[in-house]
């Protein structure tokens, strides 16, 4: 079957010598194999492994040197970590963990290498083609609304009074970056949208919304940025996303219709879910983040989902969960890839409609905002109401009969931009915190709708200023005297913990992080029981 495609990344040292020997001998190397010679298996990141599938591979093999013989010292270990984590993500996504394999060879075993390659090709034949659609390389014509002039007009950027309030409020400017939203807008108005520095500036915006919050003319700069990114994306002028584009690849891969994800498989046994229930729980990407970041940050974002389900059960709700839910598409929309965002949105909307549920609960502020607002605004209305778990909890706790054990720590709270500014609901977590007996909230100077961003958004534009912003935020949290920084968004937790990894400042930047939903799940009890 000539249309099968199997990529073999082959380390230049040990395995390549064995492979070359096979070629010299005219050995029966399967024709499906496309060999890519690399300097070291450790250089093949998770993003490159996933990108291979996005480019149409049915199987990928990474062949490195044997442990202890890597020329660069740690290559074999990195290759092992990258492969096993990507395999776990492929498994959760429903692509099949066995489509990606790692092996190690020295030059002296060419026949063993040949047998291994032939066995891998046979295994891929048995699995069939990869369900991922190769990422479309041809784009249609840009819609008329997708020109810088039309985007400026649509967002009424001309209303700008040039007062500079946006610049003095901007999260990036506060971190010391020479960054001015009005200046970026002015350059785009002046016809310089295609200048590389303008593009880079558009890409760097955190879309945190602080500038919009302060703007007297209501110029919605984040929405303007989002449209400009769609323009750049259409013209293939996207700047490098973070983590090699792994998450964007993952989200695009999820648009494949015949994926069979297994995302809820590892739920603890005591959690009760029920197919066909009137309440549906939407998990989002948290389980994937835990696998991707596990070696570095020790984040536990999947626990937010488990704790949300526990709390729903606590209030006698056994929700349905859908194996075929995909990412909500937030990051694709905010990096300009509307085409794939809409594919995800339509796929999710169909799955929600098929479930028959009337209410959908989600624990992530980005998922909430995307499902509740961006889906309908982009022509994908949902046949159910969308509720954030904080709203559900506030509704239930308000009925009485529950109490809280003390959390046993002083806390401060990092607002999620999508919840505090975009949805105007910074009151919700505070109401919940006020109900938590013995848990005093020590607010940072900038909080609520004026809170500073966690330093990154939509997996794009992370730079030294993002890091500086995170360090400032953690420092500010520590200065309140708190022992725990409570977060409400899995990505805030990831980004703040990322800054805490700084080996040079480990001591100064340590602060326990915990999601508010998890803190509630840990302390709530029925009064009188
Ligand atoms: S705050 Fe608004 S009006 Fe003032 S410079 Fe910025 S975009 Fe223009
Ligand atoms: S959205 Fe945030 S990062 Fe972007 S310009 Fe406004 S304040 Fe600055
Ligand atoms: S802050 Fe850390 S986790 Fe977040 S995007 Fe940047 S490097 Fe990645």
């Amino acid at each position: 079957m000539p249309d099968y495609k199997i990529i073999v990344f082959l380390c230049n040292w040990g395995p390549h010598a064995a492979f070359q020997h096979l070629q010299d001998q005219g050995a029966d190397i399967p024709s499906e194999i496309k060999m890519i010679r690399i300097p070291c298996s450790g250089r093949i990141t998770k993003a490159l492994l996933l990108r291979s599938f996005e480019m149409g591979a049915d199987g990928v093999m990474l062949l490195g040197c044997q442990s202890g013989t890597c020329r660069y010292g740690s290559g074999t270990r990195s290759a092992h970590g990258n492969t096993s984590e990507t395999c776990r993500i492929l498994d959760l996504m429903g692509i099949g963990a066995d489509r990606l394999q790692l092996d190690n060879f020295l030059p002296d075993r060419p026949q063993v290498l040949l047998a291994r390659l032939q066995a891998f090709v046979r295994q891929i034949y048995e699995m069939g083609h990869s369900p991922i659609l190769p990422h479309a390389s041809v784009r249609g014509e840009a819609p008329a609304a997708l020109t810088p002039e039309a985007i400026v007009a649509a967002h009424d950027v001309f209303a700008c009074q040039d007062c500079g309030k946006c610049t003095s409020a901007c999260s990036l400017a506060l971190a010391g970056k020479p960054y001015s939203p009005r200046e970026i807008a002015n350059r785009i108005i002046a016809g310089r949208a295609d200048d590389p520095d303008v593009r880079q500036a558009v890409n760097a915006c955190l879309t945190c919304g602080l500038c919009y919050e302060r703007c007297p003319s209501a110029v919605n700069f984040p929405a303007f940025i989002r449209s400009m990114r769609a323009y750049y994306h259409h013209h293939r002028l996207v700047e490098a996303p973070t983590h090699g584009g792994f998450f964007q690849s993952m989200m695009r891969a999820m648009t494949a219709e015949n994926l069979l994800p297994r995302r809820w498989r590892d739920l603890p046994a005591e959690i009760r879910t029920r197919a066909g229930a009137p309440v549906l729980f939407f998990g989002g990407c948290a389980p994937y983040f835990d696998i991707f970041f596990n070696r570095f940050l020790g984040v536990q974002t999947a626990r937010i989902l488990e704790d949300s389900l526990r709390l729903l059960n606590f209030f006698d709700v056994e929700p349905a969960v859908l194996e075929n839910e995909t990412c909500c598409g937030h990051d694709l929309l905010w990096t300009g890839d509307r085409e794939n965002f809409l594919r995800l949105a339509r796929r999710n909307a169909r799955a929600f409609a098929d479930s028959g549920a009337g209410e959908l609960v989600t624990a992530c502020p980005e998922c909430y905002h995307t499902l509740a607002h961006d889906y309908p605004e982009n022509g994908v209305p949902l046949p159910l109401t969308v509720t954030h778990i904080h709203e559900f909890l506030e509704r239930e706790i308000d009925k009485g009969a529950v109490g809280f054990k003390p959390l046993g720590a002083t806390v401060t709270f990092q607002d999620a931009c999508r919840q505090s500014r975009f949805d105007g609901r910074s009151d919700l977590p505070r109401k919940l915190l006020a109900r938590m007996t013995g848990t005093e909230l020590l607010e940072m100077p900038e909080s609520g709708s004026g809170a500073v961003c966690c330093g990154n958004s939509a997996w794009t534009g992370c730079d030294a200023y993002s890091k500086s912003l995170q360090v400032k935020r953690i420092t500010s949290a520590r200065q309140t005297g708190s022992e725990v920084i409570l977060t409400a968004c899995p990505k805030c937790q990831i980004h703040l913990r990322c800054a805490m990894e700084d080996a040079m400042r480990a001591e100064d930047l340590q602060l326990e992080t915990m999601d508010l939903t998890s803190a509630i799940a840990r302390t709530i009890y029925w009064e009188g029981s």
Side-chain angles (χ1 to χ4, degrees):
M1 279 186 231
D3 59 341
Y4 272 78
K5 192 167 163 189
I6 293 169
I7 307 283
V8 176
F9 290 106
L10 199 70
C11 168
N12 202 25
W13 301 101
H16 184 258
F19 191 83
Q20 205 164 29
H21 184 81
L22 292 176
Q23 285 177 315
D24 293 345
Q25 301 288 308
D28 187 19
I29 302 169
S31 59
E32 297 82 351
I33 288 181
K34 316 282 175 238
M35 194 268 279
I36 300 177
R37 197 168 153 177
I38 52 168
C40 173
S41 58
R43 305 263 179 98
I44 303 302
T45 60
K46 289 175 271 195
L48 282 171
L49 292 170
L50 189 56
R51 176 59 67 90
S52 306
F53 288 101
E54 206 188 348
M55 302 306 281
D58 297 299
V60 176
M61 186 175 262
L62 182 56
L63 293 179
C65 295
Q66 281 194 350
S67 192
T69 64
C70 171
R71 188 179 165 83
Y72 300 100
S74 59
T76 311
R77 197 170 62 239
S78 301
H80 187 269
N82 287 336
T83 313
S84 67
E85 285 156 19
T86 310
C87 282
R88 286 174 63 200
I89 289 176
L90 292 178
D91 185 37
L92 271 195
M93 288 171 74
I95 294 165
D98 289 343
R99 288 188 187 277
L100 171 62
Q101 297 187 12
L102 168 75
D103 218 330
N104 306 97
F105 281 91
L106 287 175
D108 61 348
R109 298 167 69 212
Q111 293 309 320
V112 183
L113 171 61
L114 180 63
R116 180 78 174 86
L117 292 174
Q118 289 170 337
F120 183 55
V121 172
R122 278 197 302 276
Q123 195 176 354
I124 295 297
Y125 270 48
E126 277 162 26
M127 293 177 83
H129 280 294
S130 159
I132 297 187
L133 303 168
H135 184 36
S137 53
V138 183
R139 275 148 225 256
E141 247 174 54
L146 212 55
T147 62
E149 298 76 20
I151 293 167
V152 165
H155 293 287
D156 198 14
V157 182
F158 295 117
C160 172
Q161 302 170 33
D162 223 16
C163 66
K165 288 198 164 117
C166 51
T167 306
S168 53
C170 172
S171 291
L172 285 171
L174 292 177
K177 188 173 177 127
Y179 199 81
S180 165
R182 70 175 170 158
E183 174 65 17
I184 297 164
N186 282 341
R187 284 198 236 164
I188 293 171
I189 290 170
R192 295 178 51 201
D194 292 341
D195 288 4
D197 57 331
V198 175
R199 226 164 58 211
Q200 207 174 40
V202 167
N203 190 56
C205 171
L206 303 168
T207 68
C208 69
L210 254 176
C211 51
Y212 181 37
E213 178 78 16
R214 302 283 156 80
C215 177
S217 298
V219 175
N220 190 338
F221 194 73
F224 173 58
I225 286 287
R226 189 164 90 176
S227 298
M228 283 306 299
R229 288 180 181 172
Y231 163 77
Y232 292 137
H233 190 270
H234 188 85
H235 294 281
R236 300 185 154 282
L237 297 169
V238 182
E239 301 295 326
T242 61
H243 302 287
F246 182 90
F247 295 110
Q248 282 84 355
S249 282
M250 187 180 93
M251 290 159 202
R252 283 193 296 266
M254 286 183 187
T255 61
E257 289 289 335
N258 50 350
L259 279 183
L260 293 171
R262 310 172 65 184
R263 42 166 304 117
W264 296 108
R265 186 191 43 186
D266 294 329
L267 276 182
E270 80 275 10
I271 290 177
R272 290 169 284 126
T273 62
R274 186 164 55 85
V279 176
L280 185 59
F281 182 73
F282 183 84
C285 291
Y288 301 99
F289 298 153
D290 274 13
I291 300 171
F292 189 90
F293 290 109
N294 83 88
R295 276 184 298 156
F296 303 105
L297 310 180
V299 289
Q300 291 192 315
T301 53
R303 182 174 286 182
I304 304 169
L305 310 188
E306 289 172 12
D307 286 331
S308 301
L309 289 167
R310 277 196 189 92
L311 285 165
L312 286 164
N313 286 174
F314 178 88
F315 287 108
D316 281 335
V317 176
E318 284 184 21
V321 289
L322 299 177
E323 285 293 353
N324 59 346
E325 72 162 60
T326 69
C327 165
C328 67
H330 173 277
D331 299 342
L332 290 179
L333 183 67
W334 283 92
T335 46
D337 187 354
R338 281 194 170 140
E339 196 180 327
N340 284 302
F341 162 73
L342 284 172
R343 285 194 184 138
L344 288 180
R346 291 189 195 115
R347 194 181 158 174
N348 277 328
R350 270 199 308 277
F352 299 161
D354 292 347
S355 77
E359 182 177 16
L360 180 146
V361 177
T362 181
C364 169
E366 291 189 344
C367 292
Y368 173 78
H369 187 80
T370 308
L371 298 166
H373 302 289
D374 292 328
Y375 275 28
E377 281 165 24
N378 283 277
V380 187
L382 293 183
L384 33 62
T385 56
V386 184
T387 307
H388 189 275
I389 188 82
H390 290 174
E391 200 179 336
F392 168 86
L393 291 171
E394 175 57 23
R395 191 170 76 201
E396 293 300 320
I397 296 169
D398 192 48
K399 291 176 187 166
V402 297
F404 291 89
K405 290 172 273 181
L407 186 61
T410 48
V411 303
T412 191
F413 183 70
Q414 167 66 24
D415 285 273
C417 302
R418 299 300 182 252
Q419 182 181 51
S420 62
R421 278 183 289 273
F422 285 58
D423 291 325
R425 294 309 313 263
S426 53
D427 62 313
L428 267 179
R430 286 174 176 78
K431 278 186 185 165
L432 290 169
L433 275 160
R435 293 181 183 278
M436 291 173 67
T437 330
T439 304
E440 188 194 354
L441 173 63
L442 303 170
E443 292 276 21
M444 288 183 264
E446 293 104 1
S447 60
S449 63
V452 179
C453 172
C454 71
N456 191 245
S457 172
W459 306 113
T460 192
C462 179
D463 62 11
Y465 295 101
S466 299
K467 199 62 64 196
S468 155
L469 204 51
Q470 288 153 0
V471 168
K472 269 178 180 262
R473 205 62 186 144
I474 297 165
T475 308
S476 182
R478 282 170 57 107
Q479 280 168 354
T480 63
S482 301
E483 294 151 318
V484 175
I485 181 162
L486 290 176
T487 53
C489 172
K491 289 180 189 163
C492 288
Q493 193 184 124
I494 291 168
H495 296 142
L496 292 175
R497 287 203 61 86
C498 180
M500 290 179 202
E501 292 290 301
D502 187 332
M504 306 299 287
R505 302 195 54 186
E507 287 294 301
D508 316 342
L509 297 178
Q510 286 313 301
L511 194 55
E512 191 184 340
T513 49
M514 192 191 299
D515 189 87
L516 173 60
T517 303
S518 292
I520 294 173
R522 195 192 272 195
T523 54
I524 199 166
Y525 66 90
W526 284 113
E527 272 178 340
S529 66

